[in-house]
């Protein structure tokens, strides 16, 4: 401010003295200021090109910094010109300023002093006050360039001596004090450094060490860094004070401080205190007392409560995914698979790389021509798979930016410290250790003691040998070969790794860079061939058979060229293994590593494979290896000695088989160009600590959003939503040993099937929340949560022909039938089919065949595929009709609401997806007077008029209608208007298209035998309205007035239909002459709508097909198909108990029923009615009974069969009508033959023998074998 | 409740029930003298349980191995075969187990209905002698299980430990002469379907 005022004053004053041009004064002033110090003499050029601006209070002061920078060739800017200033120096910075200076490098002043002391410009990265980059460290890209300048401008200036002793002094001062530190003994590298300290040897080496360690420290997980500028500032102070030896322990404190400061508001004051403290101590550097408090406080593990970005926090999810290595790996894996697919589909035959390879090959041949011509036998057909794998990928990419670490042991991990942290508060590592030990013991079988010792090396995951409370639980994602030599392995925890290799350097993740390099890698390989199977971001399988045949190069030549090119392009080394199959190629790569290539010739295979370790076989993991070592197997050779039977017994049939083959080097898997996705999920098991319900809900919503995004990305929708939850194990400690880890948990999962495949985030989250509630879990015990979508379907609008049977979309089945004739043909075809599987294939074909015609012919929006829904509710509906205003209505409502929701959703989506208006789906209605649900009213239709599945005017809720998108609304309104006027034409359309049953081509085709046998009614559409005679006046009167009117109107409108309707009545109707007969309301509905019973959801249809397949009894398959015909009317015993909320298709009760009658008493009264009203039995009716009994038999309900037969027998005996008797014999005969085929024996019908039934017809007598 | 394995639950229930049912059959068909039975209560109805240690241990062994297979969902039928002294089968009490296609979520959470159904099975068993012809003297019995093919391996694997081997049934023991079915009871629950019927040879008396 003061300066600003001065400027103004100066400006005014100096008007007219030559500087009054635009900015003239400022320019002159700057120049003067810059030159001011130059005259002191430039001692070195290390800061050449660096232009700093000092912000606020710093230590050393800005004056001092200015002196240093200018002395060493840099530029000191007094004003913050973003274009000129390269680095901003600050010890702390206001948060508002951090935003302003987001894209600037803000560096701690130590960078200057240390660089000067070092005599070269150091990487500024460890000194960054905070990382300007958001989550992925983009800024590191710039570092590579910087390092180059370092190496060139490296000058040993005399001045640096001034600074070095100072730093070493600190070291010397501190070293005695560190003996106070009780953890000193654990401290890695302590001895080493103490030696150096005491010897006062080469300063450089100490400093080097110092900086290295400092580097490690500053590589805080970025998520934390971002929010903790203040604390990092403290850290800088502390690092100055504390010697290397103390780092480990102070880290505890620093880390917790930093974590504490995540909650910014609180942390400000807190860190301010600390700053004071550290300032104090830095002021009295040499004094032991001042260090002590630091050390001791650091021993108290939790100065502040650990509060990292918890699940439920606003940006937890993005933060988590930004930093999750596994997340990136999996998404990249998928991405590259997609990338390769894209390349393949683009299918350019232009492979620029091949030319190069040809050239190289020619050169090679020229060189080695005289030696052997054999190698270049052109076009040999042998299959060659190359496995390309980058060498310690994360590390080598990381080293691109840190060339100074080359040749040193390096590990990539989130952990920034040296492998020790304070134990998380409330955690009990001992408990977890015990748990893992006991788990190991369990797995190990009986001989635990000897065994654990033996396999310890193999058990990487929780490395228990070195399990101690203060170790870091950060996992090492990748480590360099130098580190591997020391015994460090990928996946190890940082703590034990540091013990194995004290001088292990850590570098952070750089996900963007990985991705960039991976892209280059894939592009490189793709320039040769597209026969690539992407395995992960750094690994792929290449089928080079074609390529080599084309170019004539040898496998090794190709590998050489490719690896060279990869190295040139990416700067990272790749290894390549070549062999005749995938398995061997992978083995060969192992041999080739690091940075090599290996071609496993076929004649070498047998010897080669014998020497391979069995645990290296892909698919052999921890537990298989354990079992193998129990069998004394270590190499594949050992494994070869074990018989297939033993292996299968030990590992299960599949794994055994694959092991048996693998250890012989056999592997028939082709390179998979395209893999079908089975599920899409998002899961987070880190950092979940909910306190409040709403946090959890919020989290689920976020997670659902994530799943939604992923689904959208792959253009899929899922039908089954699974919620996986990790719950803290009852006796486990509250906190896990790994910071914010999940600790020991019980895994609980629950899934639900939604009627329509969805990718809608709100829908998913809603289901998940309700599932979570159903689990009844204490929110605070949640430690992990995942949402998975299964049974994926392509998004509507895209064809998905590759669908597997299980994946089949209901929508596929719900196509309008166009021609009765074709259907009939199809049905006939199907009857011939014996195998259920081919039956369903046929079915699929039929549907596909019909699809095309459908598009052109169906015009009426009423013939839509909503029957899917309808069928779900058939039960409810029919039950409802029976007792029209009774209890089950409530449950039904909810069901409708649910499916209605997804439906509307689906509607909107399809609309947007396809760009045109889809046919309007509707829902079955429930014309109960109390039906007020807006969704069901809009989307539902009247059950009385299933003929056209369109809402009746009375059912349209104007409010809801107005809420609909305008185009949909218009469609509805238009349709409604046209309906009013064009009733007659409508009817004609429906007759031709048979809207009702046309939605059920699936069930129609499967109906085969029934269709053919019960022809009259099956050919006709499903009944629209029951015949007027069947209307129960009581029921009608109970309806609201407008509904009544509507019904009456409908009846008036439908004279044309009456003929059809009579056709459709239940068997009994054929013989009941008088329509006035009053029947009990109970049976009216089923009889009035016999067509209904043939409707089955395709789902169920498939299911029963599968069922019959599993039974493997071809001889009864035909009969089983009756089973498909099961009438789905709910058993009256259970209806009210039927769960409503989680109603999925599977829960549809498939009780066998006779025209709706399920229980024996219902069946009895139905039969009674039939027997006593008909003079003589109709053949169709007998067939219905036979079918019903067949279903009962197949439904394993012989008891009811027995009862039905007995009942019929008793009554027919009373009737004493020979026609009836004959029918009974017919029925009994059919029943017996079916029972014979199913159970191998016949039903005991001895009771029928006791009375003589006179059979006139000799034919029957011969057929019927009754004892 | 969804977390519970459906097969596990049905295995628990069924093995318990089959044990009771076997005892009940033994009593009701008079395979052992009435003196070795004791009245107990199960499913809230009186049942008879054989006290002879060999018989009980034999049944226990059967149940134990059946349970293993039930957990895998491998068993289609459990059959108590009653044989004459010449080892000719004359009656087969068939417990046919089916998987239920009914959804799992139910209101019968405390299995009251289940208990009721099982109770009616037992009651039906106690009256089954009225529907069946009486047995000849000196009958013996055995238990057959009808499993899926894959079960064979599993039996082998598990039985090594149990020392209670199952052997493939002799055809002579499985085939009845001119069998007739007398259905006894059928039930359907959320976990399984169960029907019990008796296959009775029409030529019981030699």
């Amino acid at each position: 401010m003061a300066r600003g005022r001065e400027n103004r004053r100066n400006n005014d004053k100096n008007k007219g003295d030559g500087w009054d041009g635009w900015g003239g004064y400022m320019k002159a002033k700057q120049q003067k200021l810059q030159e001011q110090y130059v005259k002191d003499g430039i001692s070195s050029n290390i800061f050449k090109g660096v232009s700093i601006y000092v912000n606020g209070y710093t230590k050393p002061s800005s004056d001092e910094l200015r002196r240093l920078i200018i002395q060493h060739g840099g530029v000191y800017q007094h004003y913050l010109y973003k274009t000129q200033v390269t680095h901003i120096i600050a010890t702390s910075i206001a948060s508002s300023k951090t935003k302003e200076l987001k894209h600037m490098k803000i560096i701690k002043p130590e960078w200057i002093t240390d660089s000067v002391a070092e005599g070269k410009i150091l990487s500024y990265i460890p000194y960054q006050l905070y990382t300007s980059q958001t989550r992925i460290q983009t800024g590191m890209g710039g570092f590579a360039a910087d390092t180059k300048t370092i190496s060139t401008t490296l000058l040993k200036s005399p001045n640096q001596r001034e600074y070095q002793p100072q730093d070493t002094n600190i070291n010397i001062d501190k070293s005695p004090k560190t003996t106070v530190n009780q953890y000193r003994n654990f401290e890695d590298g302590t001895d080493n450094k103490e030696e150096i300290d005491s010897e006062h040897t080469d300063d450089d080496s100490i400093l080097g060490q110092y900086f290295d360690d400092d580097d490690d420290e500053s590589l805080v997980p970025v998520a934390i860094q971002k929010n903790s500028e203040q604390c990092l500032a403290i850290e800088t102070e502390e690092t100055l004070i504390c010697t290397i030896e103390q780092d480990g322990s102070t880290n505890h404190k620093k880390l917790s401080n930093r974590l504490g400061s995540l909650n910014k508001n609180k942390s400000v004051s807190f860190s301010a205190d600390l700053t004071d403290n550290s300032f104090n101590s830095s002021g009295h550097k040499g004094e032991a007392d001042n260090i002590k408090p630091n050390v001791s406080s650091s021993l108290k593990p939790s100065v502040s409560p650990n509060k990292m970005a918890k699940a439920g926090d606003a940006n937890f999810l993005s933060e988590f995914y930004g930093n999750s290595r596994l997340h990136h790996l999996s998404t990249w894996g998928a991405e590259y698979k997609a990338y390769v697919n894209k390349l393949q589909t683009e299918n350019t035959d232009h492979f620029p790389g091949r030319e190069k390879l040809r050239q190289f090959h020619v050169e090679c041949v020229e060189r080695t021509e005289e030696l052997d011509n054999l190698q270049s036998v052109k076009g040999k057909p042998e299959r060659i798979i190359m496995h390309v794998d980058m060498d310690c990928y994360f590390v080598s990419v990381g080293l691109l930016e840190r060339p100074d670490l080359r040749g040193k042991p390096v590990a990539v991990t989130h952990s920034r410290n040296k492998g020790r942290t304070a134990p998380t508060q409330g955690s009990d590592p001992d408990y977890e250790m015990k748990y893992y030990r006991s788990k190991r013991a369990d797995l190990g079988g009986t001989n635990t003691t000897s065994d654990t010792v033996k396999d310890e090396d193999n058990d990487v995951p929780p490395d228990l040998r070195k399990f101690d409370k203060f170790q870091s639980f950060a996992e090492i994602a990748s480590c360099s070969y130098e580190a591997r030599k020391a015994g460090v392995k990928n996946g190890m925890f940082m703590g034990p790794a540091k013990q194995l290799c004290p001088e292990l350097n850590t570098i952070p993740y750089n996900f963007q860079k990985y991705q960039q390099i991976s892209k280059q890698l894939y592009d490189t390989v793709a320039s040769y061939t597209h026969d690539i199977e992407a395995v992960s971001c750094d690994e792929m399988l290449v089928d080079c058979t074609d390529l080599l045949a084309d170019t004539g190069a040898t496998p090794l030549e190709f590998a050489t060229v490719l690896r060279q090119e990869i190295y040139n392009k990416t700067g990272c080394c790749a290894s390549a293994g070549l062999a005749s199959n995938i398995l061997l190629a992978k083995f060969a790569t192992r041999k080739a590593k690091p940075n090599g290539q290996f071609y496993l010739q076929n004649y070498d295979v047998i010897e080669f494979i014998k020497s391979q370790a069995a645990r290296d076989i892909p698919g052999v993991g921890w537990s298989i290896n354990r079992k193998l070592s129990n069998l004394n197997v270590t190499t594949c050779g050992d494994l070869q000695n074990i018989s297939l039977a033993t292996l299968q017994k030990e590992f299960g049939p599949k794994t055994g088989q694959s092991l048996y083959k693998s250890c012989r080097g056999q592997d028939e898997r082709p390179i998979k160009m395209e893999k079908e996705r089975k599920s899409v999920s998002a899961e987070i098991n880190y950092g979940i600590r909910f306190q409040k319900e709403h946090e959890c809900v919020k989290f689920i919503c976020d997670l659902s959003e994530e799943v939604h995004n992923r689904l959208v990305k792959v253009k899929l929708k899922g039908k089954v939503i699974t919620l996986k939850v990790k719950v803290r194990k009852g006796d486990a400690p509250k906190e896990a040993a790994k910071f914010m880890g999940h600790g020991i948990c019980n895994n609980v999962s629950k899934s639900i099937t939604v009627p329509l495949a969805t990718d809608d985030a709100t829908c998913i989250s809603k289901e998940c929340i309700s599932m979570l509630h159903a689990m009844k879990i204490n929110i605070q015990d949640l430690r992990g949560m995942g949402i998975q979508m299964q049974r994926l379907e392509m998004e509507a609008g895209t064809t998905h022909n590759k669908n597997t049977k299980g994946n089949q979309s209901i929508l596929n089945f719900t196509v309008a039938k166009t021609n009765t004739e074709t259907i009939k043909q199809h049905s006939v075809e199907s009857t011939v089919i014996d195998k259920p599987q081919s039956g369903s294939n046929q079915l699929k074909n039929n549907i596909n065949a019909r699809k095309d015609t459908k598009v052109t012919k169906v015009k009426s929006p009423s013939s839509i595929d909503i029957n899917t829904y309808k069928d779900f509710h058939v039960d409810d509906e029919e039950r409802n009709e029976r007792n029209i205003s009774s209890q089950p209505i409530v449950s039904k409502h909810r069901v409708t609401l649910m499916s209605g929701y997804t439906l509307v959703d689906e509607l909107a989506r399809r609309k947007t997806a396809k760009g045109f208006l889809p046919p309007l789906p509707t829902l079955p209605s429930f014309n109960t007077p109390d039906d007020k649900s807006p969704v069901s009213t809009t989307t539902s239709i009247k059950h009385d008029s299933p003929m056209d599945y369109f809402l009746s005017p009375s059912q349209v809720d104007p409010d809801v209608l107005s809420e609909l998108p305008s185009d949909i609304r218009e469609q509805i309104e238009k349709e409604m208007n046209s309906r009013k006027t064009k009733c007659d034409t409508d009817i004609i359309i429906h007759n031709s298209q048979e809207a009702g049953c046309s939605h059920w081509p699936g069930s129609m085709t499967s109906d085969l035998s029934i269709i053919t046998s019960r022809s009259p009614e099956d050919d006709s559409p499903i009944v629209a309205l029951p015949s007027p005679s069947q209307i129960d006046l009581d029921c009608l009167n109970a309806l609201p007035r407008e509904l009544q009117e509507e019904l009456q109107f409908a009846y008036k409108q439908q004279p044309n239909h009456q003929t059809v309707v009579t056709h459709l009545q239940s068997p009994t109707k054929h013989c009941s002459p008088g329509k006035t007969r009053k029947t009990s309301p109970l049976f009216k509905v089923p009889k009035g709508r016999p067509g209904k019973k043939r409707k089955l959801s395709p789902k169920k249809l498939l299911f029963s097909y599968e069922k019959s397949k599993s039974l493997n009894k071809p001889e009864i398959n035909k009969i089983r198909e009756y089973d498909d015909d099961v009438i789905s009317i709910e058993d009256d015993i259970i209806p009210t108990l039927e769960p409503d909320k989680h109603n999925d298709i599977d829960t549809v009760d498939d009780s066998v029923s006779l025209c709706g009658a399920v229980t024996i008493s219902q069946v009895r009264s139905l039969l009674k009615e039939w027997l006593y009203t008909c003079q003589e039995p109709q053949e169709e009716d007998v067939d219905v009974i036979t079918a019903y009994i067949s279903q009962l038999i197949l439904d394993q309900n012989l008891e009811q069969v027995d009862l039905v037969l007995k009942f019929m027998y008793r009554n027919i005996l009373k009737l004493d009508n020979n026609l009836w008797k004959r029918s009974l014999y017919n029925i009994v005969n059919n029943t017996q033959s079916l029972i014979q085929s199913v159970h191998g024996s016949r039903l005991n019908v001895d009771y029928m023998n006791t009375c003589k039934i006179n059979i006139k017809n000799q034919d029957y007598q011969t057929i019927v074998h009754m004892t | 409740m969804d977390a519970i394995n459906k097969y596990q639950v049905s295995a628990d229930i069924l093995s318990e029930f089959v044990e009771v049912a076997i005892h009940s059959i033994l009593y009701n068909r008079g395979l052992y003298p009435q003196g070795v039975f004791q009245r107990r209560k199960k499913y809230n109805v009186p049942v008879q349980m054989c006290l002879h240690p060999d018989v009980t241990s034999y049944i226990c062994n059967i149940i134990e191995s059946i349970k293993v297979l039930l957990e895998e969902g491998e068993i289609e039928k459990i059959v108590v075969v009653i044989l004459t002294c010449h080892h000719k089968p004359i009656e087969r009490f068939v417990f046919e187990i089916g998987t239920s296609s009914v959804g799992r979520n139910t209101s019968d959470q405390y299995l009251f209905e289940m208990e009721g159904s099982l109770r009616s099975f037992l009651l039906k068993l106690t009256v089954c002698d009225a529907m069946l012809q009486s047995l000849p003297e000196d009958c013996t019995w055995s238990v057959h299980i009808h499993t899926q093919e894959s079960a064979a391996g599993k039996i082998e694997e598990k039985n090594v430990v149990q020392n209670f081997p199952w052997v493939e049934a002799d055809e002579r023991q499985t085939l009845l002469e001119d069998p007739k079915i007398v259905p006894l009871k059928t039930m359907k629950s959320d976990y399984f379907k169960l029907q019990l019927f008796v296959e009775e040879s029409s030529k019981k008396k030699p």
Side-chain angles (χ1 to χ4, degrees), chain B residues 152-176:
Chain B
K154 279 170 191 152
I155 293 176
E156 205 175 293
E157 197 180 332
K158 308 265 155 98
N159 280 341
V160 177
V161 194
Q162 290 181 356
N163 203 18
F164 185 75
W166 288 80
V167 289
E168 202 167 324
D170 194 345
E171 198 171 275
R172 278 177 298 154
Q173 286 196 13
T174 52
L175 289 184
L176 295 181

Side-chain angles (χ1 to χ4, degrees), chain A residues 224 227-228 231 253-268 270-271 303-308 739:
Chain A
I224 303 170
N227 291 320
S228 57
C231 282
K253 184 186 175 190
K254 277 182 254 161
L255 189 65
S256 46
N257 290 347
R258 231 175 278 126
L259 297 165
S261 71
L262 265 180
N263 223 336
K264 264 189 196 169
N265 303 338
K266 289 176 194 165
S267 69
V268 175
F270 172 71
S271 54
V303 178
S304 66
N306 280 342
K307 268 210 173 173
M308 224 194 65
F739 175 68

Side-chain angles (χ1 to χ4, degrees), chain B residues 34-113:
Chain B
Q34 296 204 349
V36 299
F37 289 91
Q38 195 187 44
R39 223 157 76 110
R40 302 274 177 88
K41 197 169 90 170
K42 185 74 194 174
Y43 306 119
N44 260 330
V45 281
V47 291
Q48 300 286 342
M49 188 180 165
C50 187
L51 294 179
H52 193 282
D54 285 350
V55 176
T56 29
S57 74
Y58 177 65
I59 295 175
C60 281
N61 277 330
I62 290 170
I63 297 303
E64 235 175 275
S65 40
I66 283 177
K67 194 175 173 187
V68 172
L69 293 173
L70 282 172
E71 280 165 9
E72 308 277 339
E74 298 271 2
I75 293 191
E76 284 168 3
K77 285 177 192 170
I78 300 167
V79 187
V80 180
V81 188
I82 295 173
L83 310 139
T84 63
C85 48
H86 309 294
H87 288 281
K88 200 181 107 189
I90 43 173
E91 267 176 28
R92 303 172 83 229
F93 284 82
V94 184
F95 297 89
E96 198 174 36
I97 298 157
T99 46
S100 171
S101 53
V102 184
R104 215 180 306 172
N105 22 24
T106 172
S107 62
D108 191 18
Q109 215 169 4
Y110 304 103
L111 303 175
F112 287 136
E113 282 177 33

Side-chain angles (χ1 to χ4, degrees), chain A residues 179-198:
Chain A
T179 51
V180 178
N181 185 346
Q182 51 174 308
Y183 297 115
R184 189 181 51 114
N185 293 334
F186 295 103
E187 200 50 62
D188 5 52
T190 306
D191 302 335
N192 184 16
K193 283 155 201 167
E194 270 184 347
E195 266 174 37
I196 298 166
D197 285 352
S198 53

